[in-house]
Amino acid sequence: MAINWFPGHMHKARKEIKKVMPQMDLIIEVVDARLPFSSENPLVPALRGDTPVIKVLNKRDLADPAITEQWLGWLEKERGVRAITMTHNQRAEALDILRLAGEMTPDHDRQKRALRVMILGIPNVGKSTLINTMAGRPAAKTGNEPAVTRAQQAIKLPDNVLLYDTPGFLWPKLSPEACGYRLAISGAIRSAVIEFEDVALFEADYLLDAYPELAMARYGFEERPRDGLALMDGIAEKRRFLGRGGVPDLHKVSEILLNEFRSGKLGRISLETPAMVEQEAREEAERQREKSDKA
């Protein structure tokens, strides 16, 4: 299943961001530490030009720490990019972002003009919570559902920083296809537009491949299930999620898998590694070449 979600307000946000981006001194992009590549917006490099960027890997406490370290080095390979990690509501860490902003804009005189900073992030990545933490007040609306922020707003921060908040937006085509699944697992895509069982099966297969011990411990398996569907069937049996005739209720199982990943109850799990996404990019490029040759 190819997952796409690009409501009209996101298209409008993209146009507005493209219009004001050249006026910015610095960009903060908030990504999910569990899926830094999939939650990174590929439109941003094209829009930012030479403007320096701070990549904030949010929800660090939910991600695999060893893999997070790999991502920090990988992201900083891009020119003009610094990468840091954050956890929820840590004001000291949030203020470190502002200090780093000063280091990355040494020629800017804040006595003459405010440092103009744009903050970007896909839906439900924690951008608005980070803004409120930096501001020390409820300056941005927050919520558990994606796409709470619908319009740009300018927020005054300490040390003459003017922060431009923007609506979270995805891109029209979520590619490679695995990126769409990871975003759906993380909660970045509205539940109404995803197939729960399909997304949860992707998660179950990944868990058995990358974190079998965590999955087995959480759901009480003594032996590793043969595949994701067997894991889901086993959870249904153990939790008594059974319908008429003893048929497993895979929708309930899917809700459990997705919610327990998002809350961290499954453990500290990263959904992708730099090596994984590089391999997927090569495979996607090969598919596109083959498609072009057949055209």
Side-chain angles (χ1 to χ4, degrees):
M1 180 184 71
I3 298 173
N4 287 281
W5 184 49
F6 199 70
H9 77 271
M10 291 189 184
H11 180 68
K12 180 183 177 184
R14 178 188 173 188
K15 291 174 66 176
E16 291 177 352
I17 290 168
K18 186 176 182 180
K19 182 178 178 180
V20 301
M21 183 81 77
Q23 304 166 28
M24 296 297 113
D25 301 306
L26 182 126
I27 297 163
I28 299 171
E29 186 180 15
V30 187
V31 299
D32 190 322
R34 299 166 296 179
L35 51 152
F37 178 80
S38 293
S39 59
E40 178 185 59
N41 199 311
L43 298 175
V44 171
L47 296 177
R48 79 174 178 97
D50 293 325
T51 307
V53 176
I54 299 174
K55 298 274 189 182
V56 179
L57 280 66
N58 202 20
K59 308 182 182 181
R60 173 188 69 211
D61 53 314
L62 300 177
D64 183 326
I67 293 177
T68 297
E69 283 300 315
Q70 296 178 29
W71 278 114
L72 291 173
W74 193 87
L75 290 167
E76 289 194 346
K77 290 179 182 178
E78 185 179 349
R79 180 179 53 83
V81 172
R82 294 284 299 276
I84 62 173
T85 64
M86 267 206 68
T87 54
H88 186 67
N89 281 343
Q90 295 293 318
R91 182 156 169 76
E93 291 185 344
L95 294 178
D96 280 341
I97 296 173
L98 298 181
R99 282 191 282 273
L100 182 56
E103 292 177 13
M104 296 182 71
T105 55
D107 298 328
H108 182 85
D109 187 352
R110 295 191 211 179
Q111 299 299 318
K112 295 181 179 179
R113 177 176 62 79
L115 184 72
R116 292 175 298 207
V117 178
M118 176 175 282
I119 187 164
L120 299 165
I122 65 165
N124 214 30
V125 78
K127 174 174 63 69
S128 295
T129 299
L130 173 57
I131 291 170
N132 294 339
T133 305
M134 286 193 292
R137 64 185 191 279
K141 186 177 179 182
T142 62
N144 289 326
E145 276 292 305
V148 170
T149 307
R150 293 297 184 97
Q152 288 189 42
Q153 58 177 328
I155 300 164
K156 290 185 178 180
L157 297 181
D159 300 323
N160 203 18
V161 174
L162 193 59
L163 186 71
Y164 290 81
D165 186 17
T166 59
F169 66 103
L170 294 174
W171 38 103
K173 185 174 183 296
L174 301 176
S175 178
E177 190 173 286
C179 290
Y181 279 101
R182 292 176 192 133
L183 289 164
I185 291 168
S186 75
I189 300 175
R190 280 197 187 276
S191 299
V193 300
I194 67 172
E195 293 287 344
F196 268 65
E197 291 89 341
D198 189 43
V199 173
L201 180 58
F202 183 94
E203 178 190 343
D205 281 330
Y206 177 76
L207 288 174
L208 290 180
D209 182 54
Y211 297 94
E213 296 86 359
L214 290 181
M216 290 166 62
R218 178 65 187 170
Y219 299 115
F221 287 84
E222 294 183 2
E223 295 183 1
R224 184 186 184 278
R226 67 180 181 278
D227 56 23
L229 185 56
L231 173 63
M232 294 176 71
D233 284 341
I235 294 171
E237 184 175 345
K238 291 174 182 296
R239 300 272 179 110
R240 305 306 296 170
F241 294 155
L242 303 172
R244 187 174 298 175
V247 176
D249 187 339
L250 294 184
H251 187 81
K252 278 191 177 179
V253 173
S254 299
E255 289 180 332
I256 289 290
L257 279 169
L258 293 173
N259 290 335
E260 293 196 347
F261 168 80
R262 294 169 186 174
S263 67
K265 288 182 179 178
L266 272 169
R268 300 184 68 173
I269 292 171
S270 294
L271 292 178
E272 59 192 14
T273 67
M276 185 188 303
V277 299
E278 287 173 356
Q279 177 62 28
E280 289 172 352
R282 288 190 292 269
E283 291 172 355
E284 179 68 15
E286 182 60 30
R287 279 193 292 270
Q288 293 302 322
R289 279 194 295 270
E290 291 175 357
K291 187 176 179 180
S292 177
D293 290 343
K294 292 177 181 178

